[in-house]
Amino acid sequence: MFQEFYNHCKRNEYWQLKQNILLAISGGVDSMVLLELMQKAAEKDDLRVAVAHIDHRLRVESIDEAAYLKNYCEERSIPYYSREWDAPNKEKNTEARARKFRYDFFSEIMEQEDYQVLLTAHHSDDQAETVLMKLTRGTTLTNLVGIRAKRSFGIGKLIRPFLIFSKERLEQFAKQTGIVYFEDSSNQGNNYMRNRIRHQVVPVLKKENQQFLQHITNFSEQMELADELIQSVIEPKYDRWVKKTTEGWQIQLSELAKEKRSVQTFFLMTLFQRTLVPKNITISQLHIQQFLMLLNQPAPQRSMDIEQGWQIIKEYDVAYLKKRTAADDEKLFYLNENEQLFLSDNEWLGLECVGKQFELPDSVKNWQEFSLPISGEIPRPLKIRHRKNGDRIALTPDLTKRLNRIFIDQKTPNLIRERAWVILSAQENIIWVPKFANSYLSIPKETDKILYRLLYKIKE
């Protein structure tokens, strides 16, 4: 078995000569066989092999098992790293939390002690269980790859060299060579979904077809190749259409809307995998379907909620993936003559007296500028806020118009409408909406009544 294992690892370039390799060892039969084989491989390739062990403290026996493993490593001069999982409540979401704790520890040791490779003892039965679990729960094609044999991890890579072996094969080898290992009693119950699949489903499928595990392995490999092909198509489009913003991400829709549904679907899967999934946001097939409907609807502006406050907002040919924030309409500023203020990090406003030019802050001098001469008859202080429902602006003595209608006529996206500033007189009459409209009230009847200039600058 060693030669088959060694040839497989060398053929796939799982390690280089004299490399530092960390082994994730639980004490079970799989990992103890891995430890045995890797000691032989270390002799052949002059490897520095070390053991990392987590005592989850979920069973009384785990203390003795950790002590045995520590002593085993000391007798053979194998570096040994261990940690206890001391979470206060281990009954909720146990598997996921324990896994995160383990891999965080492995990554930490790799970085601190300079191990370029982490090996785990996942085998083909684990692969079958993982694929069946994902199919049962519902997943994307990308996730059906299952357990990948090799991927980036920590400062190096994570390798699963045992995916070519079944659990039965490892147990037989351990028995033949007298390897000491420990049975985890928690694996015998059916409290966890993985255990139920392991005990109740996989044996039936193995009995139905003796090549079941090999078929799962082949299926997973094909999924990995299919994913590589899909990403070769999607990645260039993703780089072209998606832009990171301070609030989230901006997605160009004009080209995406012209693509086949297959490209649209896998693009959205990639989008969510790279943006929200790392934030522990659960993305379902329903979210993909909703986004597709949003994309292909003629309505210029639509939105959809995801979870944890995240939402998609479609604005004509652009979509924004952002987290919903509290309405910003409570912001309120007042401005008198010769005063200036920053409305936001990239917006500035000043009320300048004619003949008394402002000394602009250096940071705003190169920002885009909009200005409006106003009459000295305008009651002050001016009031600055965001728009409210029902806001109207007087365009002429006989015509007022709703701000919302002005925005619609100019095809202004909702996000920009929400950020637009409304400048009012002390009597609550709107005199200016910078970049969009100004009231006739701001226009003096006589030129000599022009006493002020409103100056609005923005960093685009």
PDB file of all heavy atoms in Angstrom, residues 29 45 71 113 127 213 251 253 284 313 316 396 446:
ATOM      1  N   VAL A  29      -8.389   5.580  12.770  1.00  0.00           N
ATOM      2  CA  VAL A  29      -7.658   4.676  11.894  1.00  0.00           C
ATOM      3  C   VAL A  29      -7.125   5.390  10.653  1.00  0.00           C
ATOM      4  O   VAL A  29      -5.992   5.141  10.217  1.00  0.00           O
ATOM      5  CB  VAL A  29      -8.532   3.456  11.497  1.00  0.00           C
ATOM      6  CG1 VAL A  29      -9.792   3.882  10.760  1.00  0.00           C
ATOM      7  CG2 VAL A  29      -7.727   2.457  10.684  1.00  0.00           C
ATOM      8  N   ASP A  45      12.217  11.061   1.155  1.00  0.00           N
ATOM      9  CA  ASP A  45      12.336  12.391   0.550  1.00  0.00           C
ATOM     10  C   ASP A  45      12.880  13.442   1.514  1.00  0.00           C
ATOM     11  O   ASP A  45      12.813  14.647   1.232  1.00  0.00           O
ATOM     12  CB  ASP A  45      10.966  12.847   0.026  1.00  0.00           C
ATOM     13  CG  ASP A  45      10.531  12.063  -1.199  1.00  0.00           C
ATOM     14  OD1 ASP A  45      11.380  11.362  -1.788  1.00  0.00           O
ATOM     15  OD2 ASP A  45       9.341  12.136  -1.560  1.00  0.00           O
ATOM     16  N   ASN A  71       2.796  11.185  23.374  1.00  0.00           N
ATOM     17  CA  ASN A  71       3.890  10.282  23.724  1.00  0.00           C
ATOM     18  C   ASN A  71       4.454   9.576  22.491  1.00  0.00           C
ATOM     19  O   ASN A  71       5.678   9.415  22.351  1.00  0.00           O
ATOM     20  CB  ASN A  71       3.392   9.251  24.739  1.00  0.00           C
ATOM     21  CG  ASN A  71       4.506   8.334  25.222  1.00  0.00           C
ATOM     22  OD1 ASN A  71       5.461   8.798  25.848  1.00  0.00           O
ATOM     23  ND2 ASN A  71       4.403   7.047  24.934  1.00  0.00           N
ATOM     24  N   GLU A 113       5.197  28.051  12.201  1.00  0.00           N
ATOM     25  CA  GLU A 113       6.303  27.092  12.151  1.00  0.00           C
ATOM     26  C   GLU A 113       6.790  26.804  10.730  1.00  0.00           C
ATOM     27  O   GLU A 113       7.616  25.927  10.520  1.00  0.00           O
ATOM     28  CB  GLU A 113       5.876  25.788  12.832  1.00  0.00           C
ATOM     29  CG  GLU A 113       5.370  25.958  14.255  1.00  0.00           C
ATOM     30  CD  GLU A 113       6.436  26.500  15.197  1.00  0.00           C
ATOM     31  OE1 GLU A 113       7.633  26.267  14.928  1.00  0.00           O
ATOM     32  OE2 GLU A 113       6.065  27.167  16.193  1.00  0.00           O
ATOM     33  N   GLN A 127     -15.633  11.192   0.800  1.00  0.00           N
ATOM     34  CA  GLN A 127     -16.043  11.879  -0.423  1.00  0.00           C
ATOM     35  C   GLN A 127     -17.490  11.555  -0.767  1.00  0.00           C
ATOM     36  O   GLN A 127     -18.285  12.454  -1.087  1.00  0.00           O
ATOM     37  CB  GLN A 127     -15.125  11.456  -1.589  1.00  0.00           C
ATOM     38  CG  GLN A 127     -15.414  12.143  -2.915  1.00  0.00           C
ATOM     39  CD  GLN A 127     -14.987  13.585  -2.908  1.00  0.00           C
ATOM     40  OE1 GLN A 127     -15.677  14.437  -2.334  1.00  0.00           O
ATOM     41  NE2 GLN A 127     -13.857  13.875  -3.535  1.00  0.00           N
ATOM     42  N   LEU A 213     -18.036   3.656  -4.783  1.00  0.00           N
ATOM     43  CA  LEU A 213     -17.065   4.660  -4.346  1.00  0.00           C
ATOM     44  C   LEU A 213     -16.217   5.162  -5.506  1.00  0.00           C
ATOM     45  O   LEU A 213     -15.911   6.357  -5.603  1.00  0.00           O
ATOM     46  CB  LEU A 213     -16.171   4.099  -3.239  1.00  0.00           C
ATOM     47  CG  LEU A 213     -16.843   3.815  -1.891  1.00  0.00           C
ATOM     48  CD1 LEU A 213     -15.813   3.310  -0.885  1.00  0.00           C
ATOM     49  CD2 LEU A 213     -17.523   5.076  -1.344  1.00  0.00           C
ATOM     50  N   ILE A 251     -22.385  45.823 -10.451  1.00  0.00           N
ATOM     51  CA  ILE A 251     -22.387  44.851 -11.544  1.00  0.00           C
ATOM     52  C   ILE A 251     -22.988  45.484 -12.796  1.00  0.00           C
ATOM     53  O   ILE A 251     -24.116  45.991 -12.759  1.00  0.00           O
ATOM     54  CB  ILE A 251     -23.209  43.591 -11.168  1.00  0.00           C
ATOM     55  CG1 ILE A 251     -22.702  43.000  -9.844  1.00  0.00           C
ATOM     56  CG2 ILE A 251     -23.147  42.558 -12.270  1.00  0.00           C
ATOM     57  CD1 ILE A 251     -23.588  43.301  -8.665  1.00  0.00           C
ATOM     58  N   LEU A 253     -24.859  45.298 -16.162  1.00  0.00           N
ATOM     59  CA  LEU A 253     -25.861  44.331 -16.607  1.00  0.00           C
ATOM     60  C   LEU A 253     -26.078  44.297 -18.115  1.00  0.00           C
ATOM     61  O   LEU A 253     -26.662  43.336 -18.626  1.00  0.00           O
ATOM     62  CB  LEU A 253     -27.208  44.639 -15.931  1.00  0.00           C
ATOM     63  CG  LEU A 253     -27.232  44.612 -14.402  1.00  0.00           C
ATOM     64  CD1 LEU A 253     -28.628  44.945 -13.905  1.00  0.00           C
ATOM     65  CD2 LEU A 253     -26.777  43.272 -13.872  1.00  0.00           C
ATOM     66  N   SER A 284     -29.198  30.562  -1.858  1.00  0.00           N
ATOM     67  CA  SER A 284     -29.971  29.423  -2.329  1.00  0.00           C
ATOM     68  C   SER A 284     -30.211  29.532  -3.834  1.00  0.00           C
ATOM     69  O   SER A 284     -29.977  30.576  -4.451  1.00  0.00           O
ATOM     70  CB  SER A 284     -31.315  29.359  -1.604  1.00  0.00           C
ATOM     71  OG  SER A 284     -32.127  30.468  -1.972  1.00  0.00           O
ATOM     72  N   ILE A 313     -29.919  45.796  -5.885  1.00  0.00           N
ATOM     73  CA  ILE A 313     -30.701  46.913  -6.397  1.00  0.00           C
ATOM     74  C   ILE A 313     -30.353  47.097  -7.871  1.00  0.00           C
ATOM     75  O   ILE A 313     -29.203  47.345  -8.219  1.00  0.00           O
ATOM     76  CB  ILE A 313     -30.412  48.213  -5.630  1.00  0.00           C
ATOM     77  CG1 ILE A 313     -30.743  48.024  -4.146  1.00  0.00           C
ATOM     78  CG2 ILE A 313     -31.207  49.366  -6.216  1.00  0.00           C
ATOM     79  CD1 ILE A 313     -30.340  49.189  -3.275  1.00  0.00           C
ATOM     80  N   TYR A 316     -31.430  50.488 -13.936  1.00  0.00           N
ATOM     81  CA  TYR A 316     -31.242  50.491 -15.384  1.00  0.00           C
ATOM     82  C   TYR A 316     -30.227  49.410 -15.780  1.00  0.00           C
ATOM     83  O   TYR A 316     -30.526  48.229 -15.643  1.00  0.00           O
ATOM     84  CB  TYR A 316     -30.850  51.891 -15.883  1.00  0.00           C
ATOM     85  CG  TYR A 316     -31.928  52.907 -15.602  1.00  0.00           C
ATOM     86  CD1 TYR A 316     -31.899  53.699 -14.450  1.00  0.00           C
ATOM     87  CD2 TYR A 316     -33.009  53.067 -16.467  1.00  0.00           C
ATOM     88  CE1 TYR A 316     -32.902  54.611 -14.167  1.00  0.00           C
ATOM     89  CE2 TYR A 316     -34.025  53.990 -16.196  1.00  0.00           C
ATOM     90  CZ  TYR A 316     -33.969  54.747 -15.052  1.00  0.00           C
ATOM     91  OH  TYR A 316     -34.977  55.631 -14.768  1.00  0.00           O
ATOM     92  N   THR A 396     -41.361  77.906 -11.896  1.00  0.00           N
ATOM     93  CA  THR A 396     -41.814  79.239 -12.314  1.00  0.00           C
ATOM     94  C   THR A 396     -42.861  79.684 -11.293  1.00  0.00           C
ATOM     95  O   THR A 396     -43.289  78.889 -10.447  1.00  0.00           O
ATOM     96  CB  THR A 396     -42.462  79.212 -13.727  1.00  0.00           C
ATOM     97  OG1 THR A 396     -43.749  78.560 -13.634  1.00  0.00           O
ATOM     98  CG2 THR A 396     -41.583  78.482 -14.736  1.00  0.00           C
ATOM     99  N   GLU A 446     -33.476  91.662  -9.865  1.00  0.00           N
ATOM    100  CA  GLU A 446     -32.529  92.664 -10.340  1.00  0.00           C
ATOM    101  C   GLU A 446     -31.112  92.161 -10.109  1.00  0.00           C
ATOM    102  O   GLU A 446     -30.815  91.542  -9.080  1.00  0.00           O
ATOM    103  CB  GLU A 446     -32.736  93.991  -9.592  1.00  0.00           C
ATOM    104  CG  GLU A 446     -34.141  94.551  -9.735  1.00  0.00           C
ATOM    105  CD  GLU A 446     -34.346  95.794  -8.888  1.00  0.00           C
ATOM    106  OE1 GLU A 446     -33.340  96.443  -8.558  1.00  0.00           O
ATOM    107  OE2 GLU A 446     -35.495  96.075  -8.543  1.00  0.00           O
TER     108      GLU A 446
END
